[in-house]
Amino acid sequence: MLNKYARAFFTRVLTPFAAFLIRRGVSPDMVTLIGTAGVVAGALVFYPRGEFFWGTVVITLFVFSDLVDGNMARQLGRSSRWGAFLDSTLDRVADSAIFGGFALWYAGGGDDNVLCAVSIFCLASGQVVSYTKARGESIGLPVAVNGLVERAERLVVSLVAAGLAGLHTFGVPGIQYLLPVALWIVAVGSLVTLIQRVVTVRRESAEAEARAAQETEGREAAK
């Protein structure tokens, strides 16, 4: 849902900014690299110290680079396999930094081994969810399912909850519990999404093999 509607909205909003960067001679790859560096710095500098509000502010400022770089590439007419590869690879780096930052907090000052484990599960499951689609497509399957919780949902749920939880340091009572709830939601949603994609790949694989067998039988019968 977020990929379909929110991405389209922010793409329109950020188009003038993307055009400005192009006029300044900034390349899409440079935006991708700077954006990822900003997200990683925000996550690994602020989150392990429990500074969720300011960490989320920094991350949010840089996370939109994921939309800006693609917008710039389209305006330049230079969409390439390398750009898509770089963008996808660095997305995984940024996601790992965010959930790794949560895990470091709960392993240290947050003092909660269960939530540390949940954070690590969110990190790992997010990578595997992305891998299942990429791997399925690489063997010629459409993987025609999005799943319950994709990258956009994982980021929005986690970052909104972290930012609001950070308001606890400003005296807002009880709000710090939003982040643990969000992490459990992302963990369960990622597991469901992983199952959905594995089941889809299994079904599509069986269908593809059945079609191949029918085509082989048809060629044999025609001889």
Side-chain angles (χ1 to χ4, degrees), residues 61-187:
L61 290 175
F62 285 99
V63 80
F64 284 105
S65 65
D66 190 45
L67 299 177
V68 174
D69 55 5
N71 193 309
M72 292 173 65
R74 285 189 294 273
Q75 290 189 45
L76 291 168
R78 290 202 324 223
S79 295
S80 65
R81 292 183 177 87
W82 161 250
F85 169 81
L86 180 67
D87 187 60
S88 179
T89 300
L90 293 184
D91 281 349
R92 308 287 84 77
V93 173
D95 293 358
S96 297
I98 290 170
F99 290 104
F102 293 146
L104 288 171
W105 163 248
Y106 286 116
D111 193 24
D112 193 318
N113 289 336
V114 172
L115 288 175
C116 176
V118 172
S119 299
I120 293 172
F121 179 83
C122 290
L123 188 162
S125 60
Q127 308 302 311
V128 177
V129 164
S130 298
Y131 173 79
T132 53
K133 187 173 181 66
R135 181 57 177 152
E137 291 174 343
S138 73
I139 58 177
L141 300 175
V143 195
V145 61
N146 289 325
L148 181 64
V149 175
E150 293 189 296
R151 182 174 187 257
E153 286 80 11
R154 289 197 303 272
L155 286 180
V156 169
V157 171
S158 302
L159 293 178
V160 169
L164 292 175
L167 294 177
H168 178 70
T169 59
F170 296 96
V172 180
I175 203 166
Q176 71 272 21
Y177 299 109
L178 283 177
L179 180 56
V181 171
L183 289 173
W184 277 106
I185 290 173
V186 170

Side-chain angles (χ1 to χ4, degrees), residues 40-52:
V40 170
L44 297 183
V45 171
F46 292 96
Y47 283 175
R49 297 188 295 182
E51 297 178 6
F52 295 120

Side-chain angles (χ1 to χ4, degrees), residues 27-39 62 65 69 86 90:
S27 70
D29 288 352
M30 189 181 302
V31 171
T32 303
L33 290 167
I34 293 173
T36 302
V39 171
F62 285 99
S65 65
D69 55 5
L86 180 67
L90 293 184

